[in-house]
Amino acid sequence: MAMEVYVQNNKIYFYTDKPEVNALGITDYTDDLWLKIKSKKWNIRYGRRDKKKKMKLHPYIYTKIKGKQIDLHRFIMEYWYGKDELEKATKEGYVVDHLNNKGLDCQISNLCFIPRVLNTSKGNDYDIRRKFIRPLMAINITKDFDTQLFQITIAFNEPATLYNYGKIIPVSKIFFLYERFRRALNDANCIIDDIHEEKIFNIEKLRHIDFEYEIIKYLHFPAGQIEPTFVLRDNGELLLNKDTSKILFNEAAPSQKLYKRNKNKQKEH
């Protein structure tokens, strides 16, 4: 049975009622892309099966064009980069990687051409270890199509402190910017290692070209008041009270300020 496809909040969603698929497929919306997607039938395939647990694993979305199976992530990369670039990358041994290891997330910021061998090593190392470190922090890598820059995003699930030029800064999020994916991946692995072993990492050892951070926002409640899990501030900002919440962050949205700042630098050069 074909998936239901619809548009909401400037995103294109793919839905199936198959119980083993517990997430929506998603990609970015443009008028032209929506016309291409809605004209086709989309279904689910599985990357592999767990024979012991009798489970289907790693769902991917696909369609058929002239009898040939085409995965959504390759369909999307062809739309954004062009057929020639996709064919060239394939011929040179590159694959389309889902940066967050979620095969249903086909947003262009989550897709990247990387060598097949790097895709395999990433899946056997980084993609596994980042799940185990999540009680301490949510770490992800994303890519900006406009600037072609990569960003490591970190949202801390435990209190964290940044030491920057002699200053001690309590932070909730940190963002690191890179020109190359391999450097971003290497640094992400180093950060995971250091946080796992010592619960601290040295920014000076990383190879980023720029970075940003968000300072922890402290909430003060009258004595005796029951502290809420969520707080809506007068400016409309919704804050999560980590002291009372058992919610863990899965990801932090990339810093658009970093991309904008470095886009301007690219223009200057």
Side-chain angles (χ1 to χ4, degrees):
M1 183 177 178
M3 302 181 78
E4 177 186 348
V5 184
Y6 62 93
V7 175
Q8 186 173 325
N9 297 327
N10 211 36
K11 297 290 182 182
I12 300 172
Y13 290 95
F14 300 75
Y15 170 77
T16 178
D17 58 3
K18 293 182 178 180
E20 65 270 23
V21 182
N22 58 3
L24 292 171
I26 184 173
T27 193
D28 306 276
Y29 174 87
T30 71
D31 291 342
D32 186 41
L33 181 58
W34 172 237
L35 290 175
K36 293 176 182 293
I37 285 177
K38 74 175 183 177
S39 68
K40 297 171 176 56
K41 293 183 179 181
W42 299 90
N43 289 283
I44 287 285
R45 72 172 182 85
Y46 299 91
R48 63 186 180 87
R49 296 173 183 268
D50 187 327
K51 294 181 179 179
K52 292 183 179 180
K53 297 182 179 179
K54 297 181 179 180
M55 293 173 59
K56 298 175 181 178
L57 302 174
H58 299 300
Y60 295 95
I61 301 170
Y62 77 94
T63 189
K64 286 190 176 181
I65 300 177
K66 296 181 180 179
K68 183 179 179 181
Q69 179 175 298
I70 306 294
D71 286 332
L72 177 62
H73 52 270
R74 292 183 64 83
F75 186 91
I76 296 301
M77 290 295 269
E78 180 176 329
Y79 173 79
W80 288 99
Y81 288 93
K83 184 177 181 179
D84 290 344
E85 192 67 24
L86 178 62
E87 291 180 348
K88 178 184 176 182
T90 303
K91 186 179 295 185
E92 293 179 355
Y94 285 73
V95 299
V96 179
D97 182 76
H98 293 80
L99 293 173
N100 64 7
N101 201 35
K102 297 178 181 178
L104 299 181
D105 185 348
C106 293
Q107 297 175 92
I108 193 60
S109 61
N110 190 47
L111 301 178
C112 176
F113 292 118
I114 67 173
R116 183 176 297 277
V117 65
L118 185 58
N119 172 263
T120 301
S121 64
K122 171 179 173 286
N124 291 331
D125 185 25
Y126 165 77
D127 286 332
I128 294 173
R129 293 191 304 131
R130 60 189 282 269
K131 294 180 181 179
F132 293 109
I133 206 69
R134 195 161 70 88
L136 298 177
M137 67 178 186
I139 183 168
N140 291 275
I141 301 175
T142 186
K143 184 179 183 182
D144 179 56
F145 178 78
D146 192 22
T147 62
Q148 292 293 294
L149 295 173
F150 297 91
Q151 193 172 148
I152 292 177
T153 68
I154 301 175
F156 292 99
N157 286 312
E158 290 287 335
T161 303
L162 169 65
Y163 298 89
N164 189 33
Y165 297 102
K167 295 182 179 179
I168 301 175
I169 308 169
V171 293
S172 59
K173 300 174 184 176
I174 299 183
F175 312 90
F176 298 103
L177 198 68
Y178 298 83
E179 293 177 321
R180 302 178 186 176
F181 172 71
R182 195 181 291 269
R183 286 186 179 178
L185 182 61
N186 288 341
D187 274 5
N189 277 318
C190 289
I191 291 169
I192 291 173
D193 285 343
D194 290 346
I195 290 293
H196 176 70
E197 295 171 8
E198 303 175 12
K199 291 193 176 181
I200 189 172
F201 67 92
N202 188 343
I203 289 180
E204 294 179 1
K205 292 182 179 180
L206 304 180
R207 302 183 68 187
H208 55 280
I209 60 173
D210 201 354
F211 82 105
E212 285 281 344
Y213 58 85
E214 290 185 13
I215 298 175
I216 290 176
K217 296 177 180 179
Y218 290 102
L219 303 170
H220 300 281
F221 300 96
Q225 177 180 329
I226 298 176
E227 296 186 10
T229 301
F230 292 95
V231 177
L232 182 62
R233 305 182 76 178
D234 292 338
N235 62 1
E237 184 179 23
L238 184 65
L239 299 180
L240 173 67
N241 184 354
K242 290 294 288 182
D243 286 343
T244 63
S245 172
K246 295 182 179 179
I247 297 173
L248 294 179
F249 293 118
N250 284 314
E251 61 183 341
S255 168
Q256 296 304 316
K257 184 189 297 184
L258 270 182
Y259 288 139
K260 183 177 180 180
R261 185 161 69 214
N262 285 272
K263 181 179 180 179
N264 292 332
K265 289 181 181 178
Q266 289 176 334
K267 288 181 178 178
E268 292 172 4
H269 292 290

